[in-house]
Amino acid sequence: MARRKTAPLSDTLFAAPVAIRTLAEEVESSFLDYSMSVIVSRALPDARDGLKPVHRRILWAMHDAGLRPDRPFVKCARVVGDVMGRFHPHGDSAIYDALVRMGQDFSVPHPMVDKHGNFGSPSDPAAAARYTECRLSPIAMELLASIDEGTVDFQPNYDGGDEEPVVLPARYPNLLINGTQGIAVGLATNIPPHNLGEICAATLKLINKPDTTLAELMKTVKGPDFPTGGLIMGTDTLKDALRTGRGTIRVRAVTSIEETKRGVAIVITEIPYQTSVDAIAGKLAEAVDSNKVEGIRDIRNESGQGQTRLVIELKPDANVQVALNNIFKHTPAQVSFGINTVALVDGVPRTLNLQEALQHWIDHQVIVLTRRTRFRLDKAEARLHIIDGLVRALDMIDAIIATIRASKDRGVARVSLMAKPFDFSEIQANHILDLQLGRLTQLGRDDLLAEQLELNGIIKELRNILDDRETLMGLMRDELSEIRDKYKRPRRTVIVGDDSGDISAEELVDDEPLVVTVTARGYIQSKSQRGRGAKTADPGDKDAITQIIATSALGTFLFFTTHGRAYRSVGHDLPKQRLTAIPNLFQFADGEKVIGVIDAAVAAEHEHVVFVTAQGSIKRTPLADFVEASARKDGIAAMKLGDGDRIIAAYPSWDDFETFVVTAQGQGIRFSESEVRPVGRSAGGMRAMKLRSDDIVVGACAVAHEEIVVLASDTGYAKRVRADEFPIQARGGAGVRVAKPEKKRGMLMGVMPAGSRLAFLTDDQAFIVGSAEVKLQPRDGAVPKVAAIPDGKTVIAIAVVDEPLAE
């Protein structure tokens, strides 16, 4: 047999025309094909149902397998194998990771998978698929609702052996409610979860009023609502993200300051989204080891039973606010979350703002409800066609029976029923042939007539939905309202901002009555007035109470320091467990000390606050400038100081009183406060008193005409003097002698209105004397010794002691 001749290989290869293009064109085309495949088929969610293909395939496979909420759990490995074999030809680990995330309540606020077994935690991965079980959650059924009623298109799977939905019906705007993340080629999406109640309410606004503006929608949707809670800091960038679809927000852990047996501790009770307690603790430990963070003594993870609790104990000398700020800076206790709302619209990636995302879901629902209504209408009309035939057949049943009995077989009988005089359709004829004798009773006839009436009503209602868009939108509104009422939950993430309507931390605090105690050594504590026991703190025998302030949890306090700074806090932020050094509440500089604590409520009685410095300057500033200023932890400017100067007194101004200023060497001046004109808080002062080169101002206070003041020295000497003993002079003079210079007396340390008791504080002890022990002396009289200060001890502070409140 002769061999068959074959054409040369070159002729075979080049028989068909070959497209010739450059290498750059080929690479560009191949890259675009690959990138679009990744974008459309893997990485980005559809704007209509908010799902990526892998999530949609998992839900569909579970629905197709009957894994509904009322059915038993099945192994996750079975679901993963089913999805991989039928719909998603990728790795089983990728499918399982996607399934696990849909069941984690710390990843999505409304899990679509009902889990059984170890689905992991923010710190740990889930167990292997062979150990865990799953089924669909109730809210997942809302995504799949009516999928068997022709509501969405189906497409062949990867091998053409099965079909999968192109998109799910999605009865709620899942894109924003559960959020998603994805990285494609040259594109990425990062959509945070939002509160279901807020999103549904905003969508209902848009359904009721299609021309609702974005600004009106943003009044309802405050921002993301993370399942792990936390605080969103600031509102400006948040509004930009809702307005443009892009933005960056700062999310911060929720912390509190607690007093433990070992000292002060910072306790973290809520963490930012997609971080973990172990990650925060690990990063903090690294920062402590590298000396980036100081003052940390111990870190303990006491989380358990679904509750977050990370305890960070501080060293006794640590500044609480500085430590807290360092924790936010060096650990994931504060993170930046980049919002990038990118989703597929008609198969093309689009960046969507709030309004656009909701509108795409509404447009999808119009199609879903229309197709569902048509499906139900076709089904109802088909059934009505059969019922009409059966009812008509009962009216001529004798003739029909005779015709059927005379027919040779079923086919002939069917043809006879379709011919005159019956004129039944083929479908009607088949059902008449299948009619049971029991349906020939009067009860059977009544049932058919009742069903016929019901079907006519259903058909009329369905046609009305298709013919009237307002009825269709009303149906959408009712179904979405039902879902909102069924699944809504309170907001978990607090938005800290100044805009009206924002949920601030103060709004979450019970405004209970408090008593705040301030001591001579600069310690402070607040106690509730509702409980039993002492209302004021116990300073012990080494300190003394100088102020007792009745206030509330939302009362504002101003703290003025020697460095000319002002700090602001509210009552519920003050330590409650024990007396705490005021510098621990803020970011004080080295050597900065508190010289005045003022309850902002006195602003109603005292219009101004007076500052006096060691170098003899005085300043009067409206108190409102501080009450309404920022509550920054590093403070705000209270007074501009010269080189080497410091504030030695800060107190509310009575306006119609006089100012009394004394120096260390015993000079004093009394002048009217009206001579000091009010200036802004960042301005400097004017001269209060002319000083000798070696003298400094040590005290100042407001006095009335008949008031008695106390002058005290650093060696335990003190006397009481009537204010009228000192003449009223012009501001800026040298003043008069208030105490004779005596070596044993030491230097004066201050002047203050007389009280029931007077305290002298040394490094380790408090010497308290009663008012009767401090003699009333003339202006130029001697200053007697009243406190037995041991030799070698130096008085570091003097103060008038306030009486503790009774129990």
Side-chain angles (χ1 to χ4, degrees):
M1 184 175 179
R3 288 185 177 181
R4 189 173 61 182
K5 295 182 179 179
T6 59
L9 182 60
S10 60
D11 294 343
T12 304
L13 289 175
F14 299 104
V18 177
I20 299 175
R21 53 184 174 179
T22 65
L23 179 60
E25 291 173 338
E26 176 65 23
V27 171
E28 180 181 0
S29 175
S30 300
F31 182 79
L32 287 176
D33 290 344
Y34 166 73
S35 62
M36 286 305 298
S37 174
V38 172
I39 291 170
V40 175
S41 303
R42 296 178 68 176
L44 296 185
D46 194 296
R48 296 170 291 180
D49 61 7
L51 298 173
K52 294 193 285 188
V54 63
H55 301 122
R56 188 179 302 114
R57 288 164 176 168
I58 290 172
L59 294 178
W60 169 244
M62 294 177 71
H63 177 272
D64 197 41
L67 307 181
R68 294 171 177 79
D70 56 346
R71 304 286 179 86
F73 290 97
V74 301
K75 288 290 186 181
C76 290
R78 172 182 166 185
V79 175
V80 170
D82 192 28
V83 173
M84 183 170 58
R86 297 175 61 194
F87 305 115
H88 201 68
H90 300 283
D92 60 330
S93 61
I95 298 172
Y96 184 54
D97 289 345
L99 185 150
V100 164
R101 188 179 187 278
M102 288 194 293
Q104 294 173 332
D105 54 8
F106 54 85
S107 294
V108 290
H110 299 277
M112 291 170 280
V113 170
D114 192 2
K115 65 181 186 294
H116 187 237
N118 179 13
F119 266 55
S121 68
S123 304
D124 303 307
R130 62 184 179 274
Y131 299 121
T132 57
E133 298 178 334
C134 66
R135 64 185 178 191
L136 292 172
S137 68
I139 198 170
M141 300 303 296
E142 308 293 353
L143 290 175
L144 294 155
S146 307
I147 196 171
D148 298 325
E149 294 184 285
T151 52
V152 295
D153 292 330
F154 280 73
Q155 63 185 6
N157 67 339
Y158 67 93
D159 64 357
D162 212 328
E163 284 192 335
E164 61 177 325
V166 175
V167 66
L168 298 187
R171 291 183 62 195
Y172 61 91
N174 181 63
L175 179 70
L176 295 179
I177 289 174
N178 270 336
T180 190
Q181 290 179 314
I183 300 176
V185 180
L187 283 174
T189 185
N190 195 24
I191 306 173
H194 293 72
N195 185 270
L196 183 144
E198 293 180 3
I199 292 295
C200 289
T203 307
L204 290 172
K205 276 188 178 182
L206 203 55
I207 293 173
N208 294 328
K209 184 182 176 185
D211 59 348
T212 302
T213 64
L214 181 59
E216 291 174 337
L217 295 177
M218 288 167 59
K219 293 179 181 178
T220 301
V221 179
K222 306 299 182 182
D225 186 21
F226 300 111
T228 53
L231 303 174
I232 294 177
M233 310 304 295
T235 57
D236 292 341
T237 56
L238 187 58
K239 291 180 179 178
D240 289 340
L242 294 173
R243 189 179 299 112
T244 65
R246 292 177 180 269
T248 302
I249 59 175
R250 289 200 318 271
V251 185
R252 177 178 290 184
V254 174
T255 62
S256 60
I257 309 299
E258 294 186 5
E259 296 286 345
T260 66
K261 294 181 179 179
R262 301 178 61 185
V264 180
I266 297 172
V267 180
I268 296 177
T269 54
E270 294 180 14
I271 59 176
Y273 185 53
Q274 294 181 329
T275 188
S276 68
V277 174
D278 287 345
I280 296 173
K283 287 291 185 181
L284 181 57
E286 292 177 7
V288 171
D289 291 341
S290 61
N291 294 324
K292 291 181 179 179
V293 178
E294 298 180 350
I296 306 297
R297 179 167 61 185
D298 189 23
I299 304 170
R300 296 195 310 276
N301 185 0
E302 298 180 356
S303 303
Q305 303 296 321
Q307 300 296 319
T308 299
R309 182 176 173 84
L310 179 63
V311 180
I312 304 167
E313 290 189 354
L314 304 181
K315 295 179 181 178
D317 57 345
N319 186 311
V320 175
Q321 191 58 45
V322 171
L324 187 59
N325 288 342
N326 278 308
I327 291 171
F328 290 144
K329 180 179 180 181
H330 297 289
T331 75
Q334 177 173 300
V335 298
S336 293
F337 188 95
I339 298 175
N340 189 20
T341 312
V342 177
L344 295 175
V345 178
D346 297 328
V348 180
R350 292 281 185 265
T351 300
L352 309 175
N353 61 24
L354 173 63
Q355 185 179 32
E356 292 168 341
L358 298 181
Q359 188 60 54
H360 284 303
W361 179 84
I362 292 174
D363 295 340
H364 173 55
Q365 286 306 295
V366 169
I367 296 174
V368 167
L369 292 179
T370 300
R371 293 180 60 162
R372 186 185 72 182
T373 303
R374 285 175 180 165
F375 178 89
R376 293 178 177 178
L377 178 61
D378 293 342
K379 185 177 179 181
E381 288 179 338
R383 178 62 181 170
L384 180 62
H385 179 66
I386 295 170
I387 296 300
D388 286 344
L390 294 176
V391 170
R392 191 157 61 90
L394 291 179
D395 292 337
M396 52 183 73
I397 191 63
D398 293 336
I400 289 175
I401 291 175
T403 300
I404 294 174
R405 293 186 63 184
S407 300
K408 181 180 179 180
D409 53 29
R410 182 183 177 95
V412 174
R414 180 170 59 249
V415 172
S416 300
L417 292 176
M418 295 170 61
K420 292 185 177 181
F422 303 113
D423 288 331
F424 291 111
S425 68
E426 183 176 358
I427 295 176
Q428 289 175 329
N430 282 327
H431 278 78
I432 292 172
L433 292 173
D434 293 335
L435 187 67
Q436 297 178 352
L437 292 177
R439 300 293 295 274
L440 300 180
T441 65
Q442 184 63 38
L443 182 59
R445 178 184 178 85
D446 292 343
D447 290 342
L448 289 174
L449 291 175
E451 186 178 357
Q452 184 183 49
L453 181 63
E454 181 183 0
L455 287 171
N456 279 317
I458 292 174
I459 290 171
K460 181 179 180 181
E461 181 180 348
L462 294 174
R463 285 177 177 169
N464 186 42
I465 293 173
L466 293 175
D467 295 340
D468 184 13
R469 182 178 175 85
E470 182 58 34
T471 303
L472 179 70
M473 300 308 288
L475 177 62
M476 185 191 305
R477 180 171 53 249
D478 293 342
E479 293 186 356
L480 185 59
S481 298
E482 179 184 349
I483 291 176
R484 178 198 60 187
D485 297 339
K486 185 176 181 180
Y487 297 104
K488 68 179 180 180
R489 59 180 57 173
R491 167 173 278 277
R492 296 175 179 176
T493 302
V494 176
I495 300 174
V496 180
D498 297 326
D499 294 341
S500 60
D502 287 339
I503 303 174
S504 64
E506 286 77 10
E507 291 174 318
L508 303 176
V509 175
D510 181 16
D511 193 18
E512 62 176 338
L514 300 177
V515 172
V516 175
T517 304
V518 183
T519 73
R521 293 188 186 273
Y523 283 74
I524 193 168
Q525 181 182 357
S526 67
K527 283 191 173 185
S528 173
Q529 294 191 46
R530 294 176 178 173
R532 297 181 179 180
K535 303 300 183 184
T536 52
D538 180 10
D541 58 359
K542 297 181 181 180
D543 205 348
I545 298 175
T546 57
Q547 284 180 270
I548 298 175
I549 305 170
T551 182
S552 68
L554 297 181
T556 301
F557 288 83
L558 301 174
F559 301 84
F560 299 101
T561 70
T562 54
H563 284 33
R565 305 288 293 175
Y567 301 82
R568 186 160 69 93
S569 181
V570 291
H572 78 272
D573 286 335
L574 298 177
K576 301 177 178 60
Q577 301 301 321
R578 67 176 185 178
L579 285 165
T580 302
I582 294 174
N584 287 341
L585 307 179
F586 306 102
Q587 295 180 8
F588 276 23
D590 293 341
E592 189 172 8
K593 297 179 180 179
V594 174
I595 47 84
V597 179
I598 297 178
D599 179 8
V602 305
E605 302 177 7
H606 306 273
E607 186 177 353
H608 299 91
V609 59
V610 175
F611 302 97
V612 180
T613 75
Q615 294 181 1
S617 294
I618 188 170
K619 173 187 172 183
R620 194 158 62 115
T621 301
L623 194 55
D625 288 2
F626 300 100
V627 175
E628 300 170 0
S630 169
R632 292 171 46 181
K633 293 301 181 181
D634 59 349
I636 57 175
M639 181 177 181
K640 184 178 181 181
L641 298 174
D643 295 340
D645 202 2
R646 60 186 174 86
I647 296 178
I648 54 89
Y651 53 88
S653 167
W654 291 93
D655 292 342
D656 57 345
F657 278 29
E658 288 83 40
T659 296
F660 187 34
V661 180
V662 299
T663 72
Q665 296 184 7
Q667 289 292 114
I669 188 172
R670 176 185 172 208
F671 56 86
S672 174
E673 285 188 359
S674 60
E675 292 194 42
V676 185
R677 68 179 184 278
V679 294
R681 64 177 177 83
S682 59
M686 58 188 68
R687 178 181 290 182
M689 185 177 184
K690 187 176 180 180
L691 302 176
R692 297 175 181 174
S693 59
D694 58 346
D695 203 1
I696 60 170
V697 173
V698 293
C701 64
V703 296
H705 291 290
E706 298 181 357
E707 193 167 1
I708 297 176
V709 297
V710 175
L711 297 167
S713 75
D714 58 1
T715 55
Y717 288 72
K719 71 175 181 178
R720 291 186 298 148
V721 185
R722 295 187 184 278
D724 287 340
E725 292 270 348
F726 306 96
I728 297 178
Q729 298 177 297
R731 175 186 57 81
V736 297
R737 178 66 62 186
V738 299
K740 293 179 180 180
E742 297 178 9
K743 186 175 181 179
K744 63 178 181 178
R745 171 182 60 81
M747 297 290 184
L748 286 183
M749 286 202 66
V751 60
M752 60 212 72
S756 60
R757 293 185 294 169
L758 181 65
F760 294 83
L761 272 65
T762 64
D763 290 335
D764 58 358
Q765 194 172 356
F767 298 87
I768 301 176
V769 297
S771 177
E773 299 177 53
V774 182
K775 295 182 179 180
L776 185 64
Q777 297 281 83
R779 173 176 64 83
D780 56 354
V783 181
K785 185 156 187 163
V786 296
I789 309 296
D791 293 339
K793 292 287 185 181
T794 302
V795 175
I796 60 174
I798 59 171
V800 172
V801 179
D802 208 338
E803 294 291 343
L805 296 180
E807 295 184 7

